[in-house]
Amino acid sequence: MIVRVIKFFAKGLLAFLLLLLLYFVAALIGSAIPVNSDWEQGEDVTIYLRTNGVHTDFVFPVENEFMNWEQMIDSSYTLSKRGNYQYISFGWGDLKFYQNTPQWNDLTFPTAMQAVFLPTPSAMHVEFETMPRFDQPTVPIKVSEDEYMRLVEYVRWSFQKDFSGNVKPVPDLHYNRNDAFFYAKRSLNSFYTCNTWVNNGLKEAGLPACLWTPFDEGIFYKYR
């Protein structure tokens, strides 16, 4: 009986490791296949991609002739409530993960497993910045008006809205005095991560991207 139990768990572990290997192979292949590789740099707007080594954000101008983000999300949602910001960043992810992991050393195994395997709500992390922060790997991208507006629509679509069309803030959730969280559409899983969300936005805007990637490396490799 004990031998059968050991064999059962051994086969289960082997199957899990095989699936994990296939996942990483698929991620490697998907990241290596380029999309929109014939892209030519625009001249209308400079945006930024920023990563902390795991999670990727978009960084946009708060206001230009094409879009004023404060008409949708103003700084009154932040703890500081001050204006005169020049840039705004957007990162999509699992709501429970955001709530339970303000710092990476707060990450626990149950939080990670819940985010990856359970259909939990998602959230948008929005942070106002005077200037883009370069304390983490950040790349500037010059895009055309059309490309930027497609990115704008993609990010705007990702927010949940109330019946009046307004964004829905997550109560009492902040990482600093200049940020806020909002309920978002879709749910994070192993095949649709925060980096997949960014990569899909780049693809829809006609910018260089991967066929599919759950990680940040494939995205940033396209902008070296």
Side-chain angles (χ1 to χ4, degrees):
M1 180 66 179
I2 295 177
V3 174
R4 288 183 180 179
V5 172
I6 293 174
K7 286 183 177 180
F8 174 80
F9 281 105
K11 288 180 180 179
L13 178 60
L14 182 61
F16 174 78
L17 293 175
L18 180 59
L19 289 174
L20 193 62
L21 176 62
L22 291 174
Y23 177 80
F24 280 101
V25 170
L28 181 63
I29 294 172
S31 297
I33 299 175
V35 176
N36 303 322
S37 56
D38 58 347
W39 172 76
E40 295 183 4
Q41 182 174 272
E43 297 181 353
D44 296 320
V45 184
T46 298
I47 66 168
Y48 299 85
L49 295 178
R50 182 170 61 216
T51 179
N52 61 10
V54 179
H55 170 94
T56 307
D57 289 336
F58 287 119
V59 185
F60 299 151
V62 168
E63 180 181 0
N64 57 23
E65 61 267 41
F66 310 119
M67 175 63 182
N68 181 359
W69 284 103
E70 288 193 302
Q71 293 178 350
M72 176 179 170
I73 304 168
D74 61 38
S75 55
S76 65
Y77 290 105
T78 69
L79 293 176
S80 70
K81 302 188 183 303
R82 74 174 184 86
N84 299 320
Y85 293 101
Q86 301 301 312
Y87 290 88
I88 185 171
S89 68
F90 298 92
W92 179 93
D94 182 80
L95 175 58
K96 291 293 184 182
F97 191 96
Y98 278 134
Q99 290 173 324
N100 297 328
T101 317
Q103 301 291 334
W104 283 108
N105 55 12
D106 297 318
L107 179 61
T108 63
F109 183 77
T111 296
M113 291 300 99
Q114 183 179 20
V116 172
F117 294 110
L118 296 180
T120 51
S122 62
M124 191 75 72
H125 182 208
V126 177
E127 185 172 0
F128 288 90
E129 305 174 22
T130 303
M131 292 294 293
R133 292 187 285 102
F134 291 96
D135 56 333
Q136 297 172 335
T138 304
V139 295
I141 309 171
K142 292 185 177 181
V143 302
S144 68
E145 174 187 354
D146 178 65
E147 291 162 348
Y148 181 61
M149 290 310 300
R150 280 189 274 174
L151 270 180
V152 166
E153 289 307 310
Y154 177 79
V155 173
R156 290 178 61 175
W157 175 87
S158 299
F159 283 83
Q160 283 191 28
K161 310 287 198 319
D162 62 20
F163 290 112
S164 300
N166 299 314
V167 294
K168 300 166 61 178
V170 178
D172 303 320
L173 182 58
H174 302 273
Y175 284 176
N176 56 59
R177 295 189 58 79
N178 303 319
D179 75 337
F181 288 82
F182 301 85
Y183 291 102
K185 296 178 181 177
R186 297 201 60 163
S187 180
L188 185 145
N189 58 62
S190 57
F191 294 97
Y192 193 88
T193 69
C194 56
N195 299 304
T196 310
W197 177 78
V198 169
N199 187 67
N200 285 0
L202 295 171
K203 284 199 292 186
E204 289 195 17
L207 299 172
C210 310
L211 180 64
W212 170 74
T213 184
F215 307 121
D216 63 337
E217 290 91 343
I219 297 172
F220 280 79
Y221 183 79
K222 302 297 183 292
Y223 294 93
R224 288 181 179 175

